[in-house]
Amino acid sequence: MTTPAKKTANATPKAKAATKTESKAKSKVSAAVKPARKLKVAIPKLSSIEQALENHLVFSSFKTNEAATPRDWYHAASYTVRDHVVKQWVKTAESYYRDDPKRVYYLSLEFLIGRMLSNAALNLGIEDELKKGITALGRELENTVEMENDAALGNGGLGRLAACFLDSMATMDIPATGYGIRYEYGMFKQSIEGGQQVENPDNWLRYGNVWEFQRPESTYDIKFYGHVVEGEGKQHWVNTEHVVAMAYDMPVPGYGGKTVNSLRLWSAKAAREFDLKHFNDGNFEQAVQERNDTESISKVLYPNDASVLGKVLRLKQQYFFVSASIQDILRRFLSTHEMKKQADWAILPDKIAIQLNDTHPSIGVAEMMYQLVDVHRLEWDFAWKLVVKIFAYTNHTLMPEALETWTVDLFGRLLPRHLEIIYKINFEFLHMVNHHFPGDPELLQRVSIIDESNGRRVRMAHLAVVGSHTVNGVAALHSQLLKQHLFADFDRIYPGKLTNVTNGITPRRWLNQANPGLTALLEKAIGADFKKDLTLIKKITPLANDANFRKAFAAVKHANKARLAAKIEQKTGIKLNVNSLFDVQIKRIHEYKRQLLNVLHIITLYNRIRSGEKGITPRTVIFGGKAAPGYWMAKQIIRLINDVASIVNEDLAVGDQLKVVYYPNYEVSAAEILFPGSDLSEQISTAGTEASGTGNMKMSLNGALTIGTLDGANVEIMEEVGEENIFIFGLTTPQVAEVKANGYNPNDYYHNNPELKQVLDMIANGFFSVEEPNRYQPIIDNLLKNGDQYLLLADYASYIETQDRVGKLYQNQDEWTRLVILNVANMAKFSSDRAISDYAKNIWHVKS
């Protein structure tokens, strides 16, 4: 059991100086936080859209119509729409300060917000007027929108979920702010060269960002390193290195435009940007060294942490944005609430709720204690009661290895005071556990925030669980498995703390914006209110049996597939058969998501076609997604997909019966074309590995049928749409556990299934890599010699049989369309509005 670090020596001159510094800082906060004057802001009247476009072209871009480039028109259109957004943004901020509601703060290392122009115009209801204005000036809105770079503020489902939640909170008029990092570069821009993933810098800010507002007045001092001394009965963190966090605000307009919330992103700035002495001495690199070192903190999303320096940078990133955010949250609270004595702070949990999106921001628990105890001088026990009432934590993984941990050595060097705080939290937590569950040292070891068995590491997920009043999983199955396995001990210690909030997606982005053809068809059939209340989409259920509606629905799908096919031909040069089944798997490349199983099916189909088998449904298999730069096996899977594609696509005997495509640089704007153009949604992770998934929801809402295992949210999708309207295959989660417990031997499946053996032998013998026959031997070894961790071979036969049923049904287009309509009609549960309503009612306790 880890005990709190011993107190250091008596008060020293450094401690006294630190006390004075902290007192000055506290006084500065107090002076700046007196209740703001509640003024009615006068907002200038906006000109017509067409006039505003012309004005901004000249006065914001300094261009005439004749000289303007497409990017100039994008800027003019964005400034025009932004004016309308800001008008409501000001009104929203004014109402929050006037009414002083409880506010929600959503802390996430990712916000995959996509493009802003079309989303803002649609949510404010001015897209038609914008289109008319641009058309009148001789331009097209579609071309203008294409000039906007996707904001590279996220990588996958975690960041896209956060963006959907911000949209819903604004639409539902919930006072909320998102907090994250303003990455100068995204994770990377992916290109496929020679069949392999190549990572290129994603310089999304190259041309600036019309949608952000720099806030140089909102800066906070972030400390690293140093050491802790005791003075006047308090701990003081001294001799630290300093980084400045500067705020950049982006608007989040809700649908209908009534509420516009904020996404506040932090950029790292050096405390001293330029050393003139070094420069004058001719040491030019040293002159800017501090600035370069500091700004690396917000330079890149998810720096490779294979090295010690990479690990340091990632922990710095997490603490940097969390510390700045919590300081900002407390500053905002104190600006309208005067704290004369400790008891006055009791209202803090009534005014702020902080949601930790995964383990990345979990250092916030220790940081809030640092701010309340060390900076604002609250007593430890009083402060801890506040902290536990403020924080809630969302877990997004079932894999223990994915739960973030840091070595005590690294953590203590970088954040010495916070390690002391964590030690004390852990000491008191373990004391409580030992009191309620005496004589169980193994329990104490399992739940301790400090892992003593693996080289002493800080378990960030444990810190989040202990420091939060509620912990939620993101799908019913995921939450059940958390209670049974990953957090079983915590569920026993804290009955009722673990709960479920199934993820959701915003219909504004993923239907109204991504699929205007289907949106128009639905509006004609049931009205437009489903955009704000997706439960109304259920009204189209009877229309599944209406031949005219099915015909119109199929026409929309065909147009979306044609749009996707044109985009794919533009990006890859591959011409697709639009009448083929578009079979799509777009998501992060990871072994547990089993893109490799999909490849095995492709090769199986290829062999059947080459053998002359008749009646096979023409199929186009589309992949997309990025592999982490250091994830070699995932990169090999990408290469295999492309090697298989090059053989299949060039085989004259196959022709249009089978095509394989890898869509490069999968991002939000790509997803807005891929989802509406999909016929079949591949959700084929090993049962018990995917927390939820949201791509499955987006696909279904846009008219794709699902083939999947009973994993993540697939279980709930099946419950909503009906078992007869979804293609489920493979082992269930209990069956996976049973197969592994009974000594799973993948070679049994290999030797007993001739089709599977043929497929694996082709890969192993270099059929798809003639110039390097052994290229994919590591993949084969993983499957046959290393235990096939994700049970691809165990699920292969079931997957192939289910894919055969998919192909057969697709040949009956009328019946296929009927099932698709029923899927769309039953997607209401998977709206992010429903998810946010659950959070608001059961976790944050705010009105929605």
Side-chain angles (χ1 to χ4, degrees):
M1 184 172 75
T2 303
T3 58
K6 290 182 180 179
K7 292 183 178 180
T8 49
N10 292 331
T12 65
K14 287 181 180 177
K16 292 176 181 176
T19 302
K20 290 180 180 178
T21 301
E22 287 164 354
S23 297
K24 287 180 181 177
K26 190 176 177 184
S27 299
K28 183 179 177 182
V29 170
S30 299
V33 300
K34 290 178 181 175
R37 294 174 64 195
K38 295 173 181 175
L39 301 175
K40 181 71 176 176
V41 179
I43 303 173
K45 186 177 180 181
L46 297 174
S47 56
S48 69
I49 296 268
E50 185 177 340
Q51 185 62 56
L53 286 166
E54 292 186 283
N55 289 348
H56 278 301
L57 190 63
V58 174
F59 299 119
S60 299
S61 297
F62 188 42
K63 290 289 183 70
T64 62
N65 194 334
E66 294 74 17
T69 66
R71 190 166 300 282
D72 293 324
W73 280 106
Y74 161 70
H75 283 139
S78 295
Y79 281 123
T80 298
V81 174
R82 195 183 78 168
D83 289 345
H84 289 259
V85 172
V86 169
K87 178 181 178 181
Q88 292 305 125
W89 202 5
V90 170
K91 291 180 178 179
T92 300
E94 184 185 43
S95 72
Y96 290 169
Y97 276 100
R98 181 185 65 242
D99 301 336
D100 189 28
K102 183 175 184 178
R103 301 195 194 205
V104 174
Y105 297 105
Y106 198 84
L107 272 59
S108 179
L109 207 55
E110 295 186 39
F111 287 95
L112 206 57
I113 58 177
R115 293 170 173 170
M116 287 285 293
L117 174 56
S118 50
N119 184 252
L122 280 165
N123 276 8
L124 266 64
I126 59 174
E127 190 202 31
D128 289 342
E129 193 177 350
L130 180 66
K131 184 180 289 188
K132 289 176 184 175
I134 287 182
T135 302
L137 295 170
R139 297 293 186 274
E140 292 183 2
L141 180 59
E142 290 76 11
N143 295 336
T144 302
V145 167
E146 284 297 311
M147 297 307 300
E148 183 175 2
N149 289 327
D150 279 39
L153 300 171
N155 173 44
L158 185 81
R160 188 50 237 172
L161 179 78
C164 284
F165 280 3
L166 291 186
D167 174 274
S168 285
M169 284 187 274
T171 297
M172 299 167 70
D173 304 319
I174 294 174
T177 300
Y179 279 109
I181 295 178
R182 180 184 179 266
Y183 301 104
E184 188 175 335
Y185 295 90
M187 187 174 175
F188 58 85
K189 190 176 283 289
Q190 181 195 57
S191 60
I192 304 296
E193 299 176 19
Q196 299 183 72
Q197 170 177 290
V198 176
E199 296 114 25
N200 308 290
D202 189 357
N203 189 6
W204 71 286
L205 289 169
R206 175 179 296 164
Y207 303 105
N209 180 10
V210 172
W211 298 96
E212 70 179 9
F213 291 80
Q214 186 181 28
R215 302 296 192 198
E217 73 279 5
S218 293
T219 59
Y220 296 95
D221 185 36
I222 313 300
K223 299 192 287 188
F224 296 104
Y225 299 108
H227 60 274
V228 181
V229 297
E230 184 178 354
E232 299 182 3
K234 293 286 183 179
Q235 305 296 97
H236 303 279
W237 188 10
V238 300
N239 291 346
T240 55
E241 294 182 10
H242 295 259
V243 173
V244 175
M246 181 179 290
Y248 287 75
D249 288 345
M250 295 180 70
V252 183
Y255 182 72
K258 178 184 174 185
T259 295
V260 178
N261 283 330
S262 299
L263 171 58
R264 175 156 283 193
L265 304 171
W266 300 105
S267 183
K269 308 292 182 184
R272 185 176 59 174
E273 293 200 359
F274 186 77
D275 191 316
L276 187 60
K277 183 179 184 302
H278 280 306
F279 185 84
N280 288 336
D281 290 343
N283 194 344
F284 305 129
E285 290 186 7
Q286 192 66 33
V288 294
Q289 185 66 46
E290 182 178 344
R291 186 189 70 186
N292 292 341
D293 290 346
T294 295
E295 293 183 356
S296 66
I297 292 174
S298 56
K299 188 72 74 176
V300 178
L301 167 67
Y302 294 144
N304 192 334
D305 61 356
S307 67
V308 173
L309 290 177
K311 289 180 172 65
V312 170
L313 183 54
R314 286 190 68 157
L315 181 53
K316 275 188 172 182
Q317 279 189 336
Q318 293 177 15
Y319 179 69
F320 164 79
F321 106 86
V322 166
S323 177
S325 302
I326 287 179
Q327 290 184 65
D328 196 50
I329 290 166
L330 292 175
R331 187 272 312 161
R332 187 175 295 110
F333 168 76
L334 291 170
S335 71
T336 51
H337 303 90
E338 193 170 356
M339 301 290 105
K340 294 182 178 179
K341 57 185 183 300
Q342 176 172 280
D344 295 338
W345 284 86
I347 67 167
L348 189 62
D350 298 327
K351 292 299 178 183
I352 68 172
I354 298 177
Q355 188 71 36
L356 304 173
N357 191 28
D358 215 1
T359 55
H360 308 123
S362 57
I363 186 64
V365 172
E367 173 64 11
M368 183 64 85
M369 285 299 290
Y370 169 71
Q371 292 293 330
L372 295 180
V373 174
D374 287 19
V375 177
H376 295 288
R377 301 300 192 208
L378 302 187
E379 293 176 2
W380 176 276
D381 290 344
F382 183 83
W384 181 246
K385 289 176 182 177
L386 297 180
V387 166
V388 175
K389 291 178 182 177
I390 288 168
F391 284 97
Y393 160 54
T394 301
N395 172 275
H396 287 276
T397 184
L398 287 164
M399 300 182 183
E401 65 271 19
L403 295 178
E404 218 158 22
T405 63
W406 302 103
T407 65
V408 166
D409 177 64
L410 168 60
F411 201 101
R413 281 189 291 112
L414 196 64
L415 302 168
R417 176 58 181 141
H418 290 69
L419 183 60
E420 286 191 353
I421 290 170
I422 289 171
Y423 279 157
K424 185 167 183 179
I425 292 170
N426 194 43
F427 176 79
E428 295 187 350
F429 166 63
L430 294 181
H431 181 77
M432 179 274 290
V433 174
N434 191 49
H435 177 72
H436 287 91
F437 304 91
D440 193 347
E442 291 183 355
L443 173 64
L444 297 180
Q445 289 177 356
R446 290 196 304 268
V447 300
S448 174
I449 298 171
I450 306 298
D451 181 359
E452 304 281 4
S453 61
N454 293 301
R456 300 196 74 227
R457 304 182 70 88
V458 183
R459 295 162 161 163
M460 303 308 289
H462 289 206
L463 177 63
V465 173
V466 173
S468 298
H469 58 82
T470 307
V471 177
N472 72 280
V474 291
L477 176 62
H478 172 229
S479 299
Q480 176 188 337
L481 293 174
L482 283 180
K483 291 182 178 182
Q484 292 174 350
H485 302 291
L486 197 64
F487 292 154
D489 290 324
F490 288 109
D491 189 46
R492 181 180 163 208
I493 294 165
Y494 297 117
K497 178 178 277 197
L498 274 65
T499 187
N500 177 62
V501 180
T502 297
N503 281 345
I505 60 172
T506 169
R508 273 75 61 182
R509 170 78 65 171
W510 297 113
L511 186 56
N512 191 35
Q513 180 174 333
N515 203 335
L518 180 55
T519 300
L521 179 63
L522 295 174
E523 282 185 3
K524 186 177 178 181
I526 61 173
D529 290 345
F530 67 88
K531 297 174 196 175
K532 197 166 183 177
D533 180 2
L534 199 59
T535 61
L536 298 175
I537 206 167
K538 188 84 172 176
K539 290 181 179 180
I540 69 167
T541 301
L543 297 177
N545 296 316
D546 184 315
N548 289 330
F549 187 79
R550 289 198 302 272
K551 183 177 180 181
F553 194 103
V556 168
K557 175 59 74 174
H558 189 271
N560 286 333
K561 290 175 68 176
R563 179 179 67 158
L564 174 56
K567 179 65 76 172
I568 286 174
E569 186 173 7
Q570 174 195 330
K571 284 187 170 290
T572 68
I574 300 173
K575 190 172 181 64
L576 303 182
N577 172 12
V578 180
N579 293 316
S580 66
L581 168 64
F582 278 19
D583 179 347
V584 181
Q585 188 174 17
I586 42 175
K587 53 185 75 240
R588 179 167 55 95
I589 308 301
H590 197 290
E591 289 166 274
Y592 87 84
K593 293 179 183 288
R594 302 203 295 189
Q595 284 90 353
L596 184 55
L597 181 59
N598 195 343
V599 174
L600 301 185
H601 173 242
I602 292 168
I603 300 172
T604 302
L605 278 182
Y606 175 66
N607 289 336
R608 289 178 178 180
I609 293 168
R610 283 174 53 84
S611 70
E613 184 174 324
K614 303 299 181 184
I616 295 175
T617 301
R619 187 182 297 240
T620 298
V621 185
I622 302 169
F623 294 89
K626 298 177 181 179
Y631 193 172
W632 182 82
M633 185 56 73
K635 288 179 160 184
Q636 282 294 95
I637 291 169
I638 291 176
R639 191 175 191 185
L640 176 60
I641 291 168
N642 284 291
D643 278 349
V644 170
S646 66
I647 296 295
V648 170
N649 295 346
E650 297 299 320
D651 194 324
L652 297 179
V654 174
D656 276 351
Q657 289 184 82
L658 182 62
K659 284 282 189 290
V660 183
V661 173
Y662 202 98
Y663 195 105
N665 201 47
Y666 176 55
E667 55 188 350
V668 175
S669 57
E672 290 169 3
I673 297 175
L674 283 157
F675 286 130
S678 302
D679 289 313
L680 185 67
S681 166
E682 296 271 357
Q683 310 298 330
I684 59 177
S685 54
T686 312
T689 60
E690 186 74 81
S692 170
T694 54
N696 45 10
M697 304 169 189
K698 294 161 195 164
M699 289 276 203
S700 294
L701 184 61
N702 278 280
L705 296 184
T706 300
I707 182 169
T709 53
L710 285 175
D711 196 29
N714 293 351
V715 177
E716 290 160 88
I717 290 176
M718 181 187 71
E719 291 169 354
E720 294 299 306
V721 305
E723 291 184 39
E724 67 279 10
N725 299 321
I726 190 172
F727 297 98
I728 297 297
F729 76 94
L731 300 171
T732 64
T733 301
Q735 288 170 342
V736 166
E738 183 180 353
V739 166
K740 288 185 175 182
N742 291 335
Y744 172 55
N745 183 0
N747 283 279
D748 292 343
Y749 296 87
Y750 169 74
H751 289 296
N752 292 327
N753 188 319
E755 273 197 317
L756 173 60
K757 186 177 187 302
Q758 180 186 13
V759 167
L760 294 180
D761 288 348
M762 289 170 72
I763 297 172
N765 296 333
F767 185 93
F768 301 102
S769 55
V770 177
E771 68 281 12
E772 189 184 347
N774 294 325
R775 179 179 294 164
Y776 298 114
Q777 193 59 48
I779 290 178
I780 299 301
D781 288 347
N782 257 9
L783 296 177
L784 296 179
K785 295 181 180 179
N786 301 329
D788 183 18
Q789 181 180 0
Y790 296 108
L791 281 71
L792 279 75
L793 305 196
D795 276 348
Y796 170 84
S798 176
Y799 181 55
I800 298 300
E801 185 274 328
T802 306
Q803 284 282 24
D804 290 344
R805 289 197 291 117
V806 168
K808 185 175 181 181
L809 179 64
Y810 190 75
Q811 293 176 8
N812 183 346
Q813 275 292 289
D814 207 40
E815 179 62 10
W816 180 277
T817 303
R818 188 183 73 83
L819 265 59
V820 165
I821 294 169
L822 291 174
N823 269 255
V824 174
N826 287 287
M827 281 298 107
K829 177 178 180 177
F830 305 104
S831 167
S832 52
D833 297 348
R834 188 272 316 148
I836 289 301
S837 179
D838 289 349
Y839 278 104
K841 179 181 178 182
N842 302 322
I843 298 177
W844 303 330
H845 306 295
V846 296
K847 294 180 181 179
S848 62

